[in-house]
Each structure stands twice: as structure tokens, then as C-alpha cells.
Amino acid sequence: MSSEIIVSRPHYDSRAAAQGVHQKSPPLEQEVPQASSGSATAGYRSAKYTPAEWFSNYQTILEQAGTNRRDAQNIQHESRTLSQDTEAAALKTQATGTRLLGERLQEIHSWKSELQRHIELLQADTESLLMVKKRLERALDATETPYAIATDNLTCRARRLGAELVRDTVEEELLKEVDLIRSIQALLKKTAAQVGTQIRNQDAQQTLEMDWSDKCQAYSFDDSCGRNHNMSPDTQQHPSSATMQEQMLQDTTEDLRVQCASVERAFSLHCEDLIEAKTQLEMKLAQTLEQIGVQEKNIEVLQRAIHNKEAPLRVAQSRLYLRSLRPNMELCRDQPQLLEGEVRQIDASLESLKQKLSGARSSLSHLEESRMALEKDINCKTNSLFIEREKCMIHRKRYPTISVLSGY
């Protein structure tokens, strides 16, 4: 062995160094005293280690090195395993997240497409409603002409004369027409107001859905656009269209057309009745005028007959008077005295002729009354016929067509 003094090195923990732990330097051992001789070295051990210590020391180092190596290998193995596990977990998590984001994005695109489709349907329905609203307004304006015609017909027919001023079928149909037009106008106004409200509601809903669609576009990867977020039940179905209003326009137009036809038919039938009655009255007037002429001639004949009886009566009366002046026995009732019977006969004839003349004159007066009544009624019928045909029916030719009444 060397005679040099072996100085022990400070203990160094390699594991602490591997883990980055800073080791405090051990305190320096007291400097080993130099070998000396004599009594001065008494009580001090030699600075040299024993072979056992030497062996123990390097065995300890070997064991520590082996332990450190095994620890390092374990850590390396665990690190590789942990790295692989974490990488696999990260890949799996990322794949799941990518899949979920893809599904989420697909759902958002689907919802956006559905919203876009619904917005287009809303826009189309709103345009249809706007067209219907315009048609309702045009139809409402178009009803003013039928109303004016019907009321004018009633006003004109109020100027009928005498017994012609009657509440007949024509007047009843005209009153029905006026009531129908009023009810149609009220319905058109109410429907137009409802359509206006529906248009405003759909515009508001369309704006809301467009905002919602833009929000989903801006936050496609955010969950703020949830399935039920701002989704109203109306967005899941097509909004109500203008079919009901279209049907209402067609129904009201058809009702007005049917009533107009009823009024026209009533006018036609009434004109036929007027013409027939006027014809009969004119025929009766002609007969009456003929009878008046005949009666006037009959009166003239009776007057001449009466006049012709006056001369024979005066002759017979003069003869009777003169024969009454006969004297004495000559004043007898002889055959010529039968002139008294002649006078009585002539008087009776005159009385009969005068009675007949009175009857003829009375008959003539009645015929004249009939003539005036017939002429007056004919004038009334003529006036009524003029009102019906020249005032009312011609005015009704200005009645709007079906397309105008339906708003087209």
C-alpha cells in the first residue's frame, strides 16, 4: 500500500443531482493531522482506512450506482409508457372533439339551412299576403260602384207613380244587394286589417330568424346557439299562406255575382210584366175609346129620336085642343078622339128615349172615367218601364266584372 494518507471524499448523491436537487456541500472534515511519532500521536487513529472499510466503501458505491441505474431505467420505462398513454389519450380526445365539432357544425348548418328555407317561405308568403292585401283594397274600391248602382236604382224606383210605387221583388232583391255589399265591404276591411297585422308579425319573425341565423354563423363553434335557443314553434313549419284570403275573395265575388244575377233576373221579369200589363191596358183603352165613340153616336141618335118625337106630339096635342072647342053635342068621344092615346104613346116613347139617353150619357161618363184611368195607368206603366229599362238596367251595365270584384 502507498504510504500516502487516504483522505475520504465527501458523499455525493447522484439521484439528487439527476432530479436537479441542489446538494449542500458537506462540511470539510478537520484536516487530518500528519503522522508523527512519539507521544504526540497518542490517542489519534491512523489516517489510513482499513481494507474492510475500503471494500465496504466501493461496494456501497457499486450498490448505489446499481440502484440509481435501475431507478433510471424504471423512470425511463414509465416515461415511455406515460408518453405513449398520454399521446394516445390526447389523440383520442382530439378525435372525439373533432367528431363532436363536426357533428355540431353539421347541425348548425342544418339548422341554418332550415332557417333559410323558412325565411324564404316567410318572404314568399309575405309577398303573397302583400298581393292579397292589394287585391283586397282593389276589391274594396271596386265594391263602391255596385253599391252606388244599387242605391241609385232604389232612388230611381222611388220616383215611380201611383200604384207602381210598390215593394216588389225587384226592390227586395236590390235591398238584399245593398246589404250584401255592405257586409262584403265590412269583411274586406276586417280581412285587410288582419292581413296587415299578419304581414307585420311575419316581418318581425323574419327579422328574428335572420338575426338568429347570423348569430349561429358567427358562433358556429359556440354552444350559445343551442337547439332550443330562440326557436319558436312557428319556425318548424311553413307559415299560414294567403289561401284563406283568396278563398274569401272568391266566395264574396261569387255571392255578389249571384245576387247581381238575381237582381237582373228580377228586373227582366218585372219589365216583362210591365210590358204585358201595358199591352193589356192599351188594348182595353182602344176598346174603351171605340165604345166611347159608339156611345157618343148612340147619344146623338137618341137625341135625334127625342127631337123627332116633339113635332108629332105637338100636332097631336094641337088637334086635341082644337077638337075640345067643338060646341054642344059635337063635343063627343068619337073615333078621332083616340088621339089621346097617341099623345100618351108619344109621351111614353119620349120618356123611354130620355131615360135611355140618360143611361147612355152615364155610360159615356163611365167610359170617360175608364179612359182616363187607363191612360193614367198606362202613363204610370210607361214611366215605370222607362225607369226600369232606361235608368236602372242601363245603369247596371256599368256593374264591375268578376275579375275586378275579385281584386285582379
Side-chain angles (χ1 to χ4, degrees):
M1 295 178 60
S2 174
S3 60
E4 296 180 355
I5 298 173
I6 299 175
V7 181
S8 62
R9 293 180 300 174
H11 179 71
Y12 182 74
D13 193 348
S14 61
R15 288 180 296 177
Q19 294 177 1
V21 179
H22 182 68
Q23 291 275 338
K24 292 184 178 181
S25 299
L28 295 176
E29 295 181 358
Q30 188 176 1
E31 193 174 313
V32 179
Q34 296 294 328
S36 62
S37 61
S39 60
T41 61
Y44 293 92
R45 61 165 289 176
S46 174
K48 294 182 181 180
Y49 290 95
T50 64
E53 289 175 336
W54 173 83
F55 181 78
S56 175
N57 181 63
Y58 92 84
Q59 286 294 327
T60 300
I61 293 172
L62 287 177
E63 290 176 0
Q64 185 65 43
T67 300
N68 292 340
R69 178 174 173 273
R70 287 192 297 274
D71 291 341
Q73 287 177 345
N74 290 335
I75 290 173
Q76 292 169 4
H77 177 71
E78 291 175 357
S79 296
R80 285 193 299 270
T81 303
L82 180 61
S83 177
Q84 293 173 357
D85 292 343
T86 54
E87 183 177 3
L91 291 175
K92 182 178 180 181
T93 302
Q94 189 175 46
T96 302
T98 302
R99 177 179 58 80
L100 292 176
L101 284 174
E103 293 175 355
R104 179 63 176 173
L105 189 60
Q106 206 165 24
E107 286 181 1
I108 291 175
H109 285 316
S110 176
W111 297 338
K112 184 180 178 182
S113 299
E114 181 66 19
L115 273 176
Q116 188 64 35
R117 185 187 68 83
H118 190 262
I119 290 171
E120 292 174 357
L121 292 177
L122 274 175
Q123 291 174 343
D125 195 65
T126 301
E127 292 176 359
S128 299
L129 287 174
L130 287 171
M131 293 178 62
V132 168
K133 188 172 184 291
K134 291 181 181 179
R135 288 178 56 195
L136 287 170
E137 292 171 349
R138 288 198 296 265
L140 182 59
D141 294 337
T143 57
E144 293 297 330
T145 300
Y147 182 75
I149 291 174
T151 53
D152 181 72
N153 289 164
L154 289 171
T155 303
C156 290
R157 297 187 90 246
R159 295 194 292 267
R160 290 175 294 170
L161 302 174
E164 293 299 311
L165 191 61
V166 61
R167 186 182 177 113
D168 52 7
T169 305
V170 178
E171 185 167 347
E172 291 178 354
E173 294 296 335
L174 283 171
L175 291 173
K176 288 181 183 178
E177 187 175 47
V178 170
D179 291 338
L180 177 62
I181 293 173
R182 286 175 177 170
S183 63
I184 288 175
Q185 287 176 339
L187 179 61
L188 290 175
K189 290 178 181 178
K190 180 180 178 181
T191 306
Q194 291 175 346
V195 170
T197 302
Q198 187 174 358
I199 289 173
R200 289 191 294 272
N201 292 338
Q202 289 194 178
D203 287 340
Q205 182 179 353
Q206 181 179 338
T207 302
L208 178 63
E209 292 182 4
M210 292 179 68
D211 291 342
W212 193 84
S213 177
D214 293 339
K215 184 178 180 182
C216 286
Q217 177 68 20
Y219 300 101
S220 297
F221 299 98
D222 189 3
D223 196 43
S224 60
C225 294
R227 180 182 299 273
N228 297 321
H229 183 67
N230 286 340
M231 289 288 285
S232 63
D234 293 336
T235 60
Q236 303 298 329
Q237 57 186 358
H238 178 59
S240 59
S241 64
T243 304
M244 183 173 63
Q245 288 79 9
E246 294 276 354
Q247 187 63 42
M248 185 273 295
L249 274 174
Q250 294 178 5
D251 293 342
T252 54
T253 301
E254 181 63 18
D255 292 341
L256 198 55
R257 185 193 67 79
V258 170
Q259 184 59 35
C260 177
S262 298
V263 174
E264 297 285 347
R265 185 167 53 254
F267 266 116
S268 299
L269 293 175
H270 186 57
C271 287
E272 292 177 3
D273 293 340
L274 283 173
I275 292 172
E276 183 181 358
K278 183 172 176 289
T279 302
Q280 292 177 358
L281 288 170
E282 289 172 343
M283 291 174 60
K284 187 62 66 176
L285 177 61
Q287 295 173 359
T288 302
L289 291 174
E290 182 181 358
Q291 286 298 317
I292 288 173
V294 172
Q295 196 67 290
E296 287 176 346
K297 290 179 181 179
N298 183 45
I299 290 173
E300 291 177 359
V301 170
L302 288 172
Q303 288 175 342
R304 284 196 301 270
I306 292 172
H307 180 73
N308 292 336
K309 290 293 186 294
E310 289 178 354
L313 179 61
R314 285 195 299 268
V315 171
Q317 288 176 345
S318 297
R319 287 176 178 175
L320 285 174
Y321 174 73
L322 292 174
R323 292 191 86 243
S324 66
L325 298 177
R326 290 174 299 167
N328 300 324
M329 293 297 293
E330 293 297 321
L331 188 62
C332 65
R333 291 185 65 82
D334 52 4
Q335 190 67 30
Q337 194 65 28
L338 296 177
L339 288 172
E340 295 177 358
E342 181 182 1
V343 171
R344 287 193 298 270
Q345 182 183 1
I346 292 173
D347 285 337
S349 298
L350 282 172
E351 187 63 27
S352 297
L353 288 172
K354 288 178 180 179
Q355 288 180 358
K356 189 59 68 176
L357 178 61
S358 176
R361 285 174 175 171
S362 177
S363 175
L364 180 61
S365 177
H366 292 161
L367 287 172
E368 288 291 344
E369 291 176 358
S370 296
R371 177 186 64 80
M372 289 188 293
L374 288 169
E375 287 177 349
K376 182 179 180 180
D377 204 20
I378 288 172
N379 288 334
C380 291
K381 295 289 190 294
T382 303
N383 180 69
S384 296
L385 200 57
F386 174 78
I387 290 174
E388 303 290 62
R389 291 193 302 190
E390 303 301 326
K391 293 292 185 181
C392 296
M393 296 187 72
I394 287 182
H395 196 189
R396 293 187 70 83
K397 290 182 179 179
R398 296 172 51 197
Y399 213 91
T401 60
I402 298 301
S403 59
V404 173
L405 291 175
S406 60
Y408 287 103

